[in-house]
Amino acid sequence: MAHYDVCVVGSANLDIVATAARHPLPGETVHGTGYHEYPGGKGLNQAVAAARSGGRVTFVGALGDDTAADILRNVLAADAIDDRLSITSGATGRAVIVVDESGENSIVVVAGANASVTVDRGLPSASVVLCQLEIPLTTVVASFRAARAAGATTILNPAPTAELSADLLALCDVIVPNEHEVDLLGGADALVAAGCGAVVVTRGGDGLDIHTPMRTQHLAAFDVDVVDTTGAGDAFCGALACRLAAGDALTDAARWASAAGALATTAPGAVPAQPQADAISALLVRQGDG
Ligand code: ADP
């Protein structure tokens, strides 16, 4: 059986984006000025990030029986990501987004097939198992239990934030909230006390903090020309998972992930902006410790 560096158990969406001069009022129709489709979902984005970081990656998810499923399958294949996808009879996950001319957006997220992601058929063999919260919490818990039983490292990106059980927190080797999510979860100290092995708080252009039972350490952000911060957190999580699987110490893996997050802000979109390993190493060489 194949062994992977990283197994991502998570969501995959097709984001459909219409631009218009202004948002329609309830019951109103307005003329659009443009239309785009983008692959998305935190699970898929982080799988792409881990693969481009140099990892051998598999993605456990669910797609519907529609054309969006074919598009997303091709996105995974383009980065040589293996998949274990269940196919449901409904829609693939969608984010329906309207952006007005001031850049303000309104978003409706439809979980679709993501609501039925399961690991009931078992988890692929992997060094690191990475989850987010766009799939059922019961699946996240089952994934981490299976990961622990197999000796794998577990990483949780608690986004979008939800109330987390004591059970789940105790199953997290590393939890990676951003600065808003960590507050909603009661703070880094509470997460460490609840049994998370390490809490890595990402703070955008302010870098990140690593909290462990032993100590707290701050890493500064890398200095880049920011174009669009979409996908920075996903780049960070995927890259971190890849380097922990490769055997890096947490601080070294976080430094690599921080470089990946910084590079993801230098290009628009989530999947297209995920950096390749050679670009990440070049930034680390250029800017040393960030
Ligand atoms: P999220 O997208 O989940 O809110 P962050 O914005 O905290 O995540 O970004 C994740 C990581 O990406 C940060 O910890 C940092 O290392 C890097 N990063 C994000 N924004 C910037 C930026 N403006 N400049 C440099 N690095 C950044």
Side-chain angles (χ1 to χ4, degrees), residues 106-133:
S106 55
I107 306 177
V108 177
V109 177
V110 181
N114 295 313
S116 53
V117 174
T118 170
V119 289
D120 285 355
R121 287 182 299 140
L123 201 62
S125 167
S127 302
V128 170
V129 174
L130 169 62
C131 290
Q132 315 75 27
L133 299 180

Side-chain angles (χ1 to χ4, degrees), residues 178 202-205 207-208 221-222 224 226 229 232-234 236 257-258 261-262 265:
N178 68 17
T202 65
R203 302 188 178 280
L208 62 115
F222 289 84
V224 289
V226 178
T229 59
D234 291 336
F236 187 94
S258 180
T265 71

Side-chain angles (χ1 to χ4, degrees), residues 78-201:
D79 277 291
I81 297 166
D82 281 355
D83 60 61
R84 192 180 285 184
L85 296 165
S86 26
I87 305 303
T88 68
S89 57
T92 294
R94 293 279 199 304
V96 181
I97 304 167
V98 176
V99 185
D100 72 12
E101 62 188 8
S102 73
E104 178 105 48
N105 58 26
S106 55
I107 306 177
V108 177
V109 177
V110 181
N114 295 313
S116 53
V117 174
T118 170
V119 289
D120 285 355
R121 287 182 299 140
L123 201 62
S125 167
S127 302
V128 170
V129 174
L130 169 62
C131 290
Q132 315 75 27
L133 299 180
E134 291 181 335
I135 58 169
L137 270 171
T138 47
T139 301
V140 177
V141 171
S143 301
F144 282 5
R145 282 220 175 96
R148 278 274 170 94
T153 299
T154 59
I155 305 179
L156 179 65
N157 173 219
T161 319
E163 201 167 317
L164 303 181
S165 65
D167 235 19
L168 176 54
L169 290 173
L171 286 167
C172 296
D173 292 318
V174 184
I175 188 167
V176 189
N178 68 17
E179 53 199 324
H180 310 293
E181 290 151 1
V182 74
D183 287 345
L184 293 168
L185 292 169
D189 291 345
L191 292 171
V192 170
C196 298
V199 182
V200 179
V201 182

Side-chain angles (χ1 to χ4, degrees), residues 13 31 76 78 85 126 137 140 157 161 174 182 197 211 218 230 240 254 262 274 277 282 288:
N13 288 336
H31 287 287
L76 292 167
L85 296 165
L137 270 171
V140 177
N157 173 219
T161 319
V174 184
V182 74
H211 305 259
H218 176 76
T230 311
L240 183 79
Q274 296 303 322

